[in-house]
Amino acid sequence: MPSDLDPGSSIFFTLTIDGEDLGYFNGCEGLASEVEMEHYQEGGNNGFVWQLPTRVTFSTIRLTRPLTAGTANVAAWISSVTTGVSRPTAEIAALRADGSVVVRWGLMDVVPVRWQGPTLDPANPSVATEVLEIAHHGFTDVGGE
């Protein structure tokens, strides 16, 4: 099946902050937005209630992966917040197994919210994973390749 007809199956994701590659992730959740609605009851109109959009909110995004050399880049980005918060742009790209892009999401004003490292327990050997959670102020663009 040609990649342009692929129904969107993705194997892994990349995260780039202001052009700096933070590596590959195999899990991504929280790419979502919600329009908050205000309900307005108009006097004399009993047939319906007006639903007016007020603001758009964006959820935080959680990226997960096994520990890689890219972990050092994530740590450096998080450490840079201690010297002053700058809100760079970011891009998340969903990739197929062959590395071709399914779709990209541009994010505005990104800031790291949380990083969770692995649990290292010799009694319970498993893949050492990390979780990066980021917040943003909206999407800049959405597109495929």
Side-chain angles (χ1 to χ4, degrees):
M1 174 182 289
S3 64
D4 60 339
L5 299 177
D6 189 336
S9 60
S10 60
I11 304 299
F12 53 99
F13 306 85
T14 61
L15 174 63
T16 308
I17 304 291
D18 273 352
E20 184 177 335
D21 184 18
L22 295 186
Y24 296 103
F25 293 82
N26 60 358
C28 178
E29 61 184 85
L31 284 166
S33 63
E34 182 177 347
V35 177
E36 295 179 17
M37 303 298 288
E38 179 179 310
H39 301 278
Y40 178 75
Q41 297 177 16
E42 181 180 1
N45 183 355
N46 296 327
F48 64 92
V49 175
W50 289 100
Q51 296 188 46
L52 307 171
T54 58
R55 67 176 57 104
V56 180
T57 58
F58 303 95
S59 63
T60 59
I61 299 170
R62 289 174 45 98
L63 296 151
T64 57
R65 68 176 170 195
L67 287 183
T68 67
T71 299
N73 294 343
V74 170
W77 178 48
I78 292 171
S79 294
S80 72
V81 173
T82 62
T83 60
V85 175
S86 68
R87 291 185 169 262
T89 59
E91 179 182 273
I92 295 175
L95 307 173
R96 297 179 186 91
D98 65 3
S100 62
V101 174
V102 176
V103 67
R104 297 177 192 272
W105 292 271
L107 306 171
M108 296 184 300
D109 301 330
V110 177
V111 65
V113 173
R114 183 173 180 258
W115 177 83
Q116 179 180 341
T119 299
L120 303 173
D121 182 1
N124 185 14
S126 61
V127 175
T129 60
E130 69 175 319
V131 178
L132 174 63
E133 189 169 344
I134 59 176
H136 65 99
H137 283 162
F139 299 101
T140 59
D141 54 13
V142 177
E145 289 295 307

